[in-house]
Amino acid sequence: FHICKFSWSVNKSKETPAPATDPAGYIEAVKKAIQQWKIDIIIPLHEEIFFLAESREPEILSRLFAPTFMELYQLHNKWEYSELLGHCGLDRPEVYFCTKPDDFERLDRSRDWALKPVLGRSSTGVQHIKPGEEVDYSSFELSSNNPHIAQEWLPGYRYCTYGVFRKGKMQAFCIYPVMETIDGSSSVYFQAVEHKGIKQYVKTLAEKLQLSGQLAFDMVETGVTEDDMRRRGETRSRIHDEFEKRRKKKTPNYRDPE
């Protein structure tokens, strides 16, 4: 049962080989679907975007609503992304490239750091290293084959953004605060808010890079007081309690027409 199985808006669907295990089979299935259904535009949702962008298939690339493969790599590689922000004149956290434990140990250990793989997603492998804390390097690989970045840990309000862009122009955009998450990573609370600073930041980046596709960013708003953080925490607790109440309710019988 795929995610669109129960949508009345879906005309047809097709099962394909998994791109991660059979990339050639997946690309061939997409090409057949294009021909069979006369598809005009391909909108990727998850990691299949990399396989589609790297396919070198004109039938796919001419219909793919996404950045180029090299643009995708620069946006997802945390070190390259930080460099991109600098070239665009945008504010960014202090960051260092690490290929061995000594690279991290040479930094100012009296500060809070985020140590994370250069290529990672959904907070996978992210470690919050606190002042003077010993790092267990045996629990993860930090090497030239698996480089990390050490990024200053920024306290403050967290926000997520989602937008649709075409040749650098913002077509649709929303911002939502991080209030409830899955294991502290993926946000599952989507109340849209306005934030002119964040909107302008993302708009500037898209325009400078002339990006097309769906772009999502994680932001931290610094300069927030302890009282502000406490109030945000109280709101988050109330949201969590409400979720728990809903989870404990009896599951409705969807077979009942009422």
Side-chain angles (χ1 to χ4, degrees), residues 73-92:
Y73 178 77
Q74 286 183 303
L75 290 168
H76 283 81
N77 181 307
K78 292 174 173 53
W79 174 253
E80 295 279 349
Y81 175 59
S82 179
E83 294 289 284
L84 271 182
L85 295 178
H87 291 315
C88 292
L90 292 167
D91 203 10
R92 55 185 174 156

PDB file of all heavy atoms in Angstrom, residues 73-92:
ATOM      1  N   TYR A  73      24.009  18.030  -4.945  1.00  0.00           N
ATOM      2  CA  TYR A  73      25.145  17.608  -4.115  1.00  0.00           C
ATOM      3  C   TYR A  73      25.641  18.766  -3.244  1.00  0.00           C
ATOM      4  O   TYR A  73      25.899  18.598  -2.050  1.00  0.00           O
ATOM      5  CB  TYR A  73      26.276  17.092  -4.998  1.00  0.00           C
ATOM      6  CG  TYR A  73      27.490  16.676  -4.201  1.00  0.00           C
ATOM      7  CD1 TYR A  73      27.505  15.465  -3.510  1.00  0.00           C
ATOM      8  CD2 TYR A  73      28.613  17.499  -4.097  1.00  0.00           C
ATOM      9  CE1 TYR A  73      28.601  15.087  -2.753  1.00  0.00           C
ATOM     10  CE2 TYR A  73      29.711  17.133  -3.346  1.00  0.00           C
ATOM     11  CZ  TYR A  73      29.698  15.917  -2.669  1.00  0.00           C
ATOM     12  OH  TYR A  73      30.764  15.556  -1.905  1.00  0.00           O
ATOM     13  N   GLN A  74      25.750  19.946  -3.836  1.00  0.00           N
ATOM     14  CA  GLN A  74      26.229  21.102  -3.077  1.00  0.00           C
ATOM     15  C   GLN A  74      25.253  21.486  -1.964  1.00  0.00           C
ATOM     16  O   GLN A  74      25.673  21.912  -0.889  1.00  0.00           O
ATOM     17  CB  GLN A  74      26.432  22.296  -4.010  1.00  0.00           C
ATOM     18  CG  GLN A  74      27.662  22.167  -4.896  1.00  0.00           C
ATOM     19  CD  GLN A  74      27.871  23.405  -5.763  1.00  0.00           C
ATOM     20  OE1 GLN A  74      26.987  23.795  -6.521  1.00  0.00           O
ATOM     21  NE2 GLN A  74      29.022  24.020  -5.638  1.00  0.00           N
ATOM     22  N   LEU A  75      23.963  21.333  -2.209  1.00  0.00           N
ATOM     23  CA  LEU A  75      22.971  21.689  -1.201  1.00  0.00           C
ATOM     24  C   LEU A  75      22.894  20.665  -0.073  1.00  0.00           C
ATOM     25  O   LEU A  75      22.575  21.009   1.069  1.00  0.00           O
ATOM     26  CB  LEU A  75      21.593  21.836  -1.852  1.00  0.00           C
ATOM     27  CG  LEU A  75      21.408  23.051  -2.771  1.00  0.00           C
ATOM     28  CD1 LEU A  75      20.121  22.918  -3.577  1.00  0.00           C
ATOM     29  CD2 LEU A  75      21.396  24.346  -1.972  1.00  0.00           C
ATOM     30  N   HIS A  76      23.192  19.396  -0.372  1.00  0.00           N
ATOM     31  CA  HIS A  76      23.093  18.344   0.640  1.00  0.00           C
ATOM     32  C   HIS A  76      24.416  18.072   1.362  1.00  0.00           C
ATOM     33  O   HIS A  76      24.410  17.548   2.479  1.00  0.00           O
ATOM     34  CB  HIS A  76      22.579  17.043   0.009  1.00  0.00           C
ATOM     35  CG  HIS A  76      21.116  17.060  -0.234  1.00  0.00           C
ATOM     36  ND1 HIS A  76      20.545  17.677  -1.331  1.00  0.00           N
ATOM     37  CD2 HIS A  76      20.073  16.556   0.483  1.00  0.00           C
ATOM     38  CE1 HIS A  76      19.238  17.542  -1.275  1.00  0.00           C
ATOM     39  NE2 HIS A  76      18.924  16.867  -0.193  1.00  0.00           N
ATOM     40  N   ASN A  77      25.531  18.412   0.733  1.00  0.00           N
ATOM     41  CA  ASN A  77      26.824  18.284   1.395  1.00  0.00           C
ATOM     42  C   ASN A  77      26.967  19.459   2.362  1.00  0.00           C
ATOM     43  O   ASN A  77      27.032  20.619   1.940  1.00  0.00           O
ATOM     44  CB  ASN A  77      27.935  18.297   0.336  1.00  0.00           C
ATOM     45  CG  ASN A  77      29.314  18.153   0.937  1.00  0.00           C
ATOM     46  OD1 ASN A  77      29.697  18.890   1.839  1.00  0.00           O
ATOM     47  ND2 ASN A  77      30.084  17.211   0.426  1.00  0.00           N
ATOM     48  N   LYS A  78      27.009  19.180   3.654  1.00  0.00           N
ATOM     49  CA  LYS A  78      26.941  20.244   4.658  1.00  0.00           C
ATOM     50  C   LYS A  78      28.112  21.222   4.572  1.00  0.00           C
ATOM     51  O   LYS A  78      27.960  22.410   4.876  1.00  0.00           O
ATOM     52  CB  LYS A  78      26.828  19.635   6.051  1.00  0.00           C
ATOM     53  CG  LYS A  78      25.503  18.925   6.274  1.00  0.00           C
ATOM     54  CD  LYS A  78      25.461  18.206   7.602  1.00  0.00           C
ATOM     55  CE  LYS A  78      24.073  17.651   7.889  1.00  0.00           C
ATOM     56  NZ  LYS A  78      23.526  16.824   6.817  1.00  0.00           N
ATOM     57  N   TRP A  79      29.288  20.740   4.179  1.00  0.00           N
ATOM     58  CA  TRP A  79      30.428  21.644   4.027  1.00  0.00           C
ATOM     59  C   TRP A  79      30.260  22.517   2.785  1.00  0.00           C
ATOM     60  O   TRP A  79      30.446  23.735   2.828  1.00  0.00           O
ATOM     61  CB  TRP A  79      31.725  20.848   3.938  1.00  0.00           C
ATOM     62  CG  TRP A  79      32.926  21.705   3.642  1.00  0.00           C
ATOM     63  CD1 TRP A  79      33.605  21.778   2.471  1.00  0.00           C
ATOM     64  CD2 TRP A  79      33.563  22.623   4.537  1.00  0.00           C
ATOM     65  NE1 TRP A  79      34.633  22.683   2.564  1.00  0.00           N
ATOM     66  CE2 TRP A  79      34.628  23.217   3.821  1.00  0.00           C
ATOM     67  CE3 TRP A  79      33.337  23.013   5.857  1.00  0.00           C
ATOM     68  CZ2 TRP A  79      35.466  24.173   4.403  1.00  0.00           C
ATOM     69  CZ3 TRP A  79      34.175  23.962   6.427  1.00  0.00           C
ATOM     70  CH2 TRP A  79      35.221  24.532   5.706  1.00  0.00           C
ATOM     71  N   GLU A  80      29.890  21.889   1.669  1.00  0.00           N
ATOM     72  CA  GLU A  80      29.668  22.643   0.427  1.00  0.00           C
ATOM     73  C   GLU A  80      28.547  23.665   0.612  1.00  0.00           C
ATOM     74  O   GLU A  80      28.619  24.788   0.098  1.00  0.00           O
ATOM     75  CB  GLU A  80      29.306  21.679  -0.713  1.00  0.00           C
ATOM     76  CG  GLU A  80      30.410  20.719  -1.107  1.00  0.00           C
ATOM     77  CD  GLU A  80      31.432  21.353  -2.039  1.00  0.00           C
ATOM     78  OE1 GLU A  80      31.168  22.464  -2.533  1.00  0.00           O
ATOM     79  OE2 GLU A  80      32.494  20.743  -2.248  1.00  0.00           O
ATOM     80  N   TYR A  81      27.504  23.260   1.327  1.00  0.00           N
ATOM     81  CA  TYR A  81      26.366  24.149   1.555  1.00  0.00           C
ATOM     82  C   TYR A  81      26.783  25.391   2.351  1.00  0.00           C
ATOM     83  O   TYR A  81      26.392  26.523   2.032  1.00  0.00           O
ATOM     84  CB  TYR A  81      25.271  23.388   2.299  1.00  0.00           C
ATOM     85  CG  TYR A  81      24.093  24.227   2.700  1.00  0.00           C
ATOM     86  CD1 TYR A  81      23.328  24.905   1.751  1.00  0.00           C
ATOM     87  CD2 TYR A  81      23.720  24.340   4.035  1.00  0.00           C
ATOM     88  CE1 TYR A  81      22.236  25.672   2.118  1.00  0.00           C
ATOM     89  CE2 TYR A  81      22.624  25.104   4.411  1.00  0.00           C
ATOM     90  CZ  TYR A  81      21.889  25.765   3.452  1.00  0.00           C
ATOM     91  OH  TYR A  81      20.809  26.525   3.824  1.00  0.00           O
ATOM     92  N   SER A  82      27.609  25.177   3.377  1.00  0.00           N
ATOM     93  CA  SER A  82      28.108  26.305   4.166  1.00  0.00           C
ATOM     94  C   SER A  82      28.916  27.271   3.299  1.00  0.00           C
ATOM     95  O   SER A  82      28.803  28.491   3.426  1.00  0.00           O
ATOM     96  CB  SER A  82      28.963  25.794   5.335  1.00  0.00           C
ATOM     97  OG  SER A  82      29.471  26.872   6.089  1.00  0.00           O
ATOM     98  N   GLU A  83      29.739  26.696   2.403  1.00  0.00           N
ATOM     99  CA  GLU A  83      30.518  27.529   1.489  1.00  0.00           C
ATOM    100  C   GLU A  83      29.602  28.312   0.545  1.00  0.00           C
ATOM    101  O   GLU A  83      29.849  29.485   0.250  1.00  0.00           O
ATOM    102  CB  GLU A  83      31.478  26.651   0.675  1.00  0.00           C
ATOM    103  CG  GLU A  83      32.569  25.990   1.508  1.00  0.00           C
ATOM    104  CD  GLU A  83      33.591  26.998   1.995  1.00  0.00           C
ATOM    105  OE1 GLU A  83      34.434  27.441   1.194  1.00  0.00           O
ATOM    106  OE2 GLU A  83      33.518  27.376   3.192  1.00  0.00           O
ATOM    107  N   LEU A  84      28.530  27.651   0.071  1.00  0.00           N
ATOM    108  CA  LEU A  84      27.559  28.324  -0.808  1.00  0.00           C
ATOM    109  C   LEU A  84      26.938  29.529  -0.114  1.00  0.00           C
ATOM    110  O   LEU A  84      26.808  30.605  -0.705  1.00  0.00           O
ATOM    111  CB  LEU A  84      26.453  27.352  -1.212  1.00  0.00           C
ATOM    112  CG  LEU A  84      26.647  26.498  -2.458  1.00  0.00           C
ATOM    113  CD1 LEU A  84      25.403  25.639  -2.680  1.00  0.00           C
ATOM    114  CD2 LEU A  84      26.900  27.346  -3.681  1.00  0.00           C
ATOM    115  N   LEU A  85      26.549  29.341   1.149  1.00  0.00           N
ATOM    116  CA  LEU A  85      25.949  30.436   1.902  1.00  0.00           C
ATOM    117  C   LEU A  85      26.911  31.617   2.004  1.00  0.00           C
ATOM    118  O   LEU A  85      26.512  32.775   1.884  1.00  0.00           O
ATOM    119  CB  LEU A  85      25.544  29.961   3.299  1.00  0.00           C
ATOM    120  CG  LEU A  85      24.444  28.902   3.388  1.00  0.00           C
ATOM    121  CD1 LEU A  85      24.192  28.517   4.840  1.00  0.00           C
ATOM    122  CD2 LEU A  85      23.155  29.401   2.751  1.00  0.00           C
ATOM    123  N   GLY A  86      28.192  31.299   2.241  1.00  0.00           N
ATOM    124  CA  GLY A  86      29.194  32.356   2.327  1.00  0.00           C
ATOM    125  C   GLY A  86      29.340  33.115   1.021  1.00  0.00           C
ATOM    126  O   GLY A  86      29.411  34.346   1.004  1.00  0.00           O
ATOM    127  N   HIS A  87      29.376  32.387  -0.105  1.00  0.00           N
ATOM    128  CA  HIS A  87      29.493  33.026  -1.422  1.00  0.00           C
ATOM    129  C   HIS A  87      28.289  33.905  -1.727  1.00  0.00           C
ATOM    130  O   HIS A  87      28.402  34.893  -2.455  1.00  0.00           O
ATOM    131  CB  HIS A  87      29.650  31.970  -2.516  1.00  0.00           C
ATOM    132  CG  HIS A  87      30.965  31.246  -2.469  1.00  0.00           C
ATOM    133  ND1 HIS A  87      32.169  31.892  -2.286  1.00  0.00           N
ATOM    134  CD2 HIS A  87      31.268  29.924  -2.593  1.00  0.00           C
ATOM    135  CE1 HIS A  87      33.155  31.020  -2.289  1.00  0.00           C
ATOM    136  NE2 HIS A  87      32.638  29.811  -2.460  1.00  0.00           N
ATOM    137  N   CYS A  88      27.120  33.539  -1.166  1.00  0.00           N
ATOM    138  CA  CYS A  88      25.895  34.321  -1.397  1.00  0.00           C
ATOM    139  C   CYS A  88      25.763  35.481  -0.410  1.00  0.00           C
ATOM    140  O   CYS A  88      24.780  36.227  -0.465  1.00  0.00           O
ATOM    141  CB  CYS A  88      24.673  33.415  -1.288  1.00  0.00           C
ATOM    142  SG  CYS A  88      24.547  32.199  -2.615  1.00  0.00           S
ATOM    143  N   GLY A  89      26.741  35.616   0.494  1.00  0.00           N
ATOM    144  CA  GLY A  89      26.708  36.714   1.457  1.00  0.00           C
ATOM    145  C   GLY A  89      25.682  36.536   2.558  1.00  0.00           C
ATOM    146  O   GLY A  89      25.237  37.520   3.160  1.00  0.00           O
ATOM    147  N   LEU A  90      25.316  35.280   2.849  1.00  0.00           N
ATOM    148  CA  LEU A  90      24.293  35.003   3.854  1.00  0.00           C
ATOM    149  C   LEU A  90      24.917  34.571   5.176  1.00  0.00           C
ATOM    150  O   LEU A  90      25.990  33.971   5.216  1.00  0.00           O
ATOM    151  CB  LEU A  90      23.350  33.908   3.347  1.00  0.00           C
ATOM    152  CG  LEU A  90      22.469  34.309   2.160  1.00  0.00           C
ATOM    153  CD1 LEU A  90      21.812  33.081   1.550  1.00  0.00           C
ATOM    154  CD2 LEU A  90      21.416  35.321   2.588  1.00  0.00           C
ATOM    155  N   ASP A  91      24.231  34.894   6.249  1.00  0.00           N
ATOM    156  CA  ASP A  91      24.683  34.514   7.587  1.00  0.00           C
ATOM    157  C   ASP A  91      24.691  33.001   7.709  1.00  0.00           C
ATOM    158  O   ASP A  91      23.838  32.316   7.147  1.00  0.00           O
ATOM    159  CB  ASP A  91      23.731  35.125   8.616  1.00  0.00           C
ATOM    160  CG  ASP A  91      24.394  35.279   9.966  1.00  0.00           C
ATOM    161  OD1 ASP A  91      25.616  35.091  10.052  1.00  0.00           O
ATOM    162  OD2 ASP A  91      23.683  35.584  10.944  1.00  0.00           O
ATOM    163  N   ARG A  92      25.643  32.464   8.471  1.00  0.00           N
ATOM    164  CA  ARG A  92      25.776  31.002   8.621  1.00  0.00           C
ATOM    165  C   ARG A  92      26.518  30.703   9.916  1.00  0.00           C
ATOM    166  O   ARG A  92      27.296  31.537  10.402  1.00  0.00           O
ATOM    167  CB  ARG A  92      26.538  30.421   7.438  1.00  0.00           C
ATOM    168  CG  ARG A  92      27.886  31.093   7.249  1.00  0.00           C
ATOM    169  CD  ARG A  92      28.629  30.632   6.029  1.00  0.00           C
ATOM    170  NE  ARG A  92      29.852  31.434   5.868  1.00  0.00           N
ATOM    171  CZ  ARG A  92      30.930  31.041   5.217  1.00  0.00           C
ATOM    172  NH1 ARG A  92      30.947  29.848   4.651  1.00  0.00           N
ATOM    173  NH2 ARG A  92      31.977  31.822   5.112  1.00  0.00           N
TER     174      ARG A  92
END
